[in-house]
């Protein structure tokens, strides 16, 4: 039994492959085989052309910080042990922007435009969450 | 096609669990009907603002208790509408449909919210889960403040706005609130130092730049332009309306500051009204976080992108300024009453147009623009009101 108490992603049938990817330390980007859209977050059908002919491409794991915010308070009790939490929106060269946390960092030294790389944290047998950390 | 607000009532924003939802609701409904100068049995429809995080009250409203409790014998139908912060806007739109189609001469639109009897942890959970994605945002500890901190940080990066300029928005909003008996901050202005020295919640947002959850209630009576004129009472006349959707999830939006939504919704509303942005005597912006007070002005075309924070810092948008904005105080300057914030925005706009805003009265206020937003600004709903029909 995991002692992880924080909210876990509610996996949907069409996002199973994404979470299977993170379990294997791979960051997958959903792609549309008909219109070539890069899709985040994963959907049942392509939001551009409604195709269900969707696939996955493995991301390099590199990203750039588009925006960030360091949270010091106002979180639910289960998150308090993690404060301060660095929230970030990161741009992947594969063409998507995703919500994540920047970890293994000095929160005061984070900047917009900073280069970061994916790091996987296994939190339960089923869920491995993708985080990012500054490129050394 | 016309809508006029002829009766209003509001209870001061407070945290007081002794005031029950039904007591507050009854008080504002009776006062709004009296203010309109009509009989209670003249009300032919009740369209209620959905009270957020209060499931029982929402059900009571949805299943018809309001006209029963108030004994509104002429009421033909009821409805409760929910789109978060734009719920009141939806109520006005449905009321307009009833009025235009002669289904109702007078429509009552009430709101009540008590948050002070809800445990803090539950409120944090509600505001973290309601507007955020359970799979892609919530597991990362995103809160409402955190999501808005992300956008504010990038906005400051793109515009060069300083922490002092951003804090000045809150100083002006609290300046309005300090003069407003309906604000929880009545008599409590803040200085730039007060804002900048308050606790850091989610960078760059300090505690005083975030929302203080409170209780409130308000109600209005709406009718047609023609009936409002026959009654000969001071009213706010709707002259134009425009809307744009921006998206549900902040990280996915192509227009992170809602500039395009503010621009296009205001252009549609102004075109319908046959007016220009320069004709507005007051701009009321409901964005709940200070950067929206800036990006809205940039979207409306009041100034160029990147100039608005400096305009706020000069005090031009606060009390006594030459470009009065958001005399309602927004949630930051008045207290956040859930879906009641938009109700209070309309009520304050009516007061300004009727010349009843007391110390906050904007001189010669004959045209006002108001933008409301739901969720984490998933939409921008802009309406032009005038003190007279066109
Ligand atoms: Zn497609």
């Amino acid at each position: 039994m995991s002692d992880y108490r924080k909210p876990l992603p509610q996996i949907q049938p069409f996002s199973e492959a994404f979470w299977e990817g993170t379990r294997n330390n791979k960051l997958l980007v959903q792609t549309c085989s008909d219109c070539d859209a890069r899709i985040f977050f994963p959907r049942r059908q392509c939001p551009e052309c409604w195709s269900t002919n969707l696939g996955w491409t493995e991301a390099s794991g590199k990203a750039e910080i588009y925006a960030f915010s360091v949270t010091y308070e106002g979180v639910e009790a289960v998150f308090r042990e993690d404060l301060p939490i660095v929230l970030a929106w990161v741009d992947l060269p594969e063409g998507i922007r995703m919500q994540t946390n920047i970890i293994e960092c000095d929160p005061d030294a984070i900047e917009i435009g900073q280069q970061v790389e994916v790091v996987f944290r296994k939190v339960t047998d089923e869920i491995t969450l993708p985080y990012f950390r500054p490129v050394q | 096609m016309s809508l006029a607000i002829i009766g209003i009532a509001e209870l001061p924003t407070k945290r007081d669990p002794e005031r029950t939802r039904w007591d507050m609701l009854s008080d504002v409904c009776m006062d709004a009907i009296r203010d309109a100068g009509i009989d209670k049995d003249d009300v032919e429809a009740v369209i209620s603002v959905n009270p957020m995080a209060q499931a029982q009250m929402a059900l009571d409203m949805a299943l018809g208790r309001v006209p029963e409790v108030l004994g509104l014998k002429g009421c033909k139908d009821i409805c409760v509408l929910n789109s978060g912060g734009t719920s009141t806007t939806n109520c006005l739109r449905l009321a307009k449909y009833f009025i235009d189609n002669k289904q109702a001469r007078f429509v009552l639109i009430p709101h009540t919210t008590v948050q002070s009897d809800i445990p803090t942890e539950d409120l944090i959970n509600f505001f973290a889960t309601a507007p955020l994605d359970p799979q892609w945002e919530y597991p990362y500890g995103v809160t409402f403040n955190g999501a808005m901190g992300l956008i504010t940080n990038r906005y400051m990066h793109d515009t060069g706005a300083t922490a002092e300029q951003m804090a000045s928005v809150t100083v002006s909003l609290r300046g309005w609130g300090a003069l407003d008996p309906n604000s929880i901050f009545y008599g409590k202005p803040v200085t730039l130092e007060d804002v900048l020295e308050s606790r850091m919640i989610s960078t760059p947002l300090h505690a005083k730049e975030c929302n203080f959850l409170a209780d409130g209630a308000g109600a209005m009576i709406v009718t047609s332009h023609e009936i409002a004129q026959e009654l000969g009472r001071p009213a706010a006349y709707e002259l134009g309306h425009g809307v744009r959707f921006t998206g549900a999830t902040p990280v996915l939006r192509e227009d992170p500051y809602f500039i395009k939504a503010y621009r296009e919704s205001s252009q549609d509303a102004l075109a319908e009204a046959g007016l220009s942005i320069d004709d507005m005597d007051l701009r009321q912006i409901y964005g709940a976080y200070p950067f929206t007070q800036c990006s809205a002005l940039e979207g409306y075309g009041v100034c160029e992108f990147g100039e608005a924070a400096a305009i706020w810092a000069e005090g031009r948008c606060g009390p006594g300024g030459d470009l009065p904005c958001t005399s309602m105080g927004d949630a930051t300057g008045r207290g956040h009453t859930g879906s009641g914030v938009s109700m209070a925005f309309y009520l304050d706009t009516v007061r300004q147009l009727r010349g009843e805003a007391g110390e906050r009265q904007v001189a010669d206020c004959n045209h006002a623009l108001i933008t409301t937003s739901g969720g984490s600004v998933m939409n921008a709903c802009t309406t032009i009101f005038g003190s007279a029909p066109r």
Side-chain angles (χ1 to χ4, degrees), chain A residues 41-88:
Chain A
F41 37 82
R43 319 285 171 95
R44 193 182 68 116
Q45 69 276 333
C46 172
E48 303 294 330
C49 73
W50 290 359
S51 169
T52 52
N53 188 15
L54 304 175
W56 300 87
T57 182
E58 186 178 349
S60 65
K62 304 291 181 209
E64 180 178 305
I65 296 177
Y66 173 80
F68 73 95
S69 175
V70 185
T71 291
Y72 290 94
E73 60 178 91
V75 295
E76 287 178 80
V78 289
F79 280 107
R80 262 175 223 144
E81 62 182 6
D82 297 335
L83 293 173
I85 296 170
V86 183
L87 304 172

Side-chain angles (χ1 to χ4, degrees), chain A residues 20-41:
Chain A
E20 189 188 331
T22 59
R23 273 199 296 279
N24 295 308
N25 289 359
K26 289 185 166 82
L27 185 61
L28 300 181
V29 175
Q30 194 180 36
T31 57
C32 176
S33 305
D34 285 335
C35 79
D36 204 32
R38 304 300 167 104
I39 305 165
F40 187 83
F41 37 82

Side-chain angles (χ1 to χ4, degrees), chain B residues 57-254:
Chain B
M57 191 70 205
L59 262 178
D60 286 350
M61 285 175 153
L63 300 178
R65 289 206 193 279
V66 179
E68 190 172 272
V69 166
L70 295 169
L72 307 180
K73 296 192 178 67
C75 182
K76 294 175 182 167
D77 203 6
I78 63 99
C79 188
V80 59
L81 295 174
N82 184 12
S83 56
T86 47
S87 298
T88 314
T89 311
N90 280 342
C91 295
L92 285 167
R93 294 192 281 221
L94 181 59
K96 189 170 173 176
Y97 172 84
F98 280 147
I99 290 163
D100 283 343
N101 290 285
K102 315 287 185 209
Q103 295 293 306
R105 282 164 51 87
F106 300 102
V107 179
L108 168 65
I109 303 176
H111 163 262
T112 184
T113 279
V114 173
Q115 298 186 105
S116 58
D117 68 352
I118 304 173
T120 305
E121 284 290 318
D122 291 359
L123 284 173
I124 291 175
N125 176 267
F126 178 80
F127 282 101
T129 53
L132 300 173
D133 191 276
Q135 189 167 204
W136 308 105
E137 294 183 301
Y138 188 36
Y140 292 104
V142 184
T143 62
F144 223 126
N145 291 331
M148 290 303 182
L150 278 156
I151 308 173
T152 305
N153 226 352
R154 181 75 200 195
Y155 177 80
M156 292 169 71
H157 176 84
D158 284 353
T159 61
T162 66
E164 289 74 17
Q165 288 173 335
M166 297 307 289
S168 75
V169 175
T170 296
V171 172
S172 288
L173 294 174
R174 288 286 296 266
W176 289 114
L179 301 173
D180 186 349
N182 285 310
S183 168
I184 201 165
F185 302 117
Y186 182 46
K188 296 175 184 166
V190 294
T191 65
L192 211 52
E193 290 69 34
D194 292 336
V195 177
L196 292 170
E197 287 167 15
S198 62
R199 303 182 328 278
M200 187 60 83
I201 305 294
S202 287
T203 59
L205 298 173
H206 302 82
K208 288 194 164 44
E209 294 170 297
C210 297
N211 290 294
F212 188 78
L213 298 177
D215 314 335
M220 52 189 161
I221 298 288
V222 300
T223 188
S224 67
H225 283 196
E226 294 70 27
I227 294 171
Q229 284 179 286
E230 282 167 26
L231 291 175
R233 302 176 76 90
Y237 293 84
E238 190 208 322
L239 304 177
H241 184 63
V243 293
R244 284 298 184 280
F245 181 69
T246 71
T249 310
V251 70
L252 301 184
R253 294 185 191 129
E254 290 174 11

Side-chain angles (χ1 to χ4, degrees), chain A residues 89-110:
Chain A
W89 293 353
V90 296
D91 285 339
L92 274 55
E94 291 78 16
I96 63 159
R97 176 174 298 159
M98 61 184 288
Q99 171 76 57
T100 189
N101 294 149
I102 309 297
I103 61 171
E104 299 175 25
C105 68
D106 171 6
D108 294 333
I110 299 298

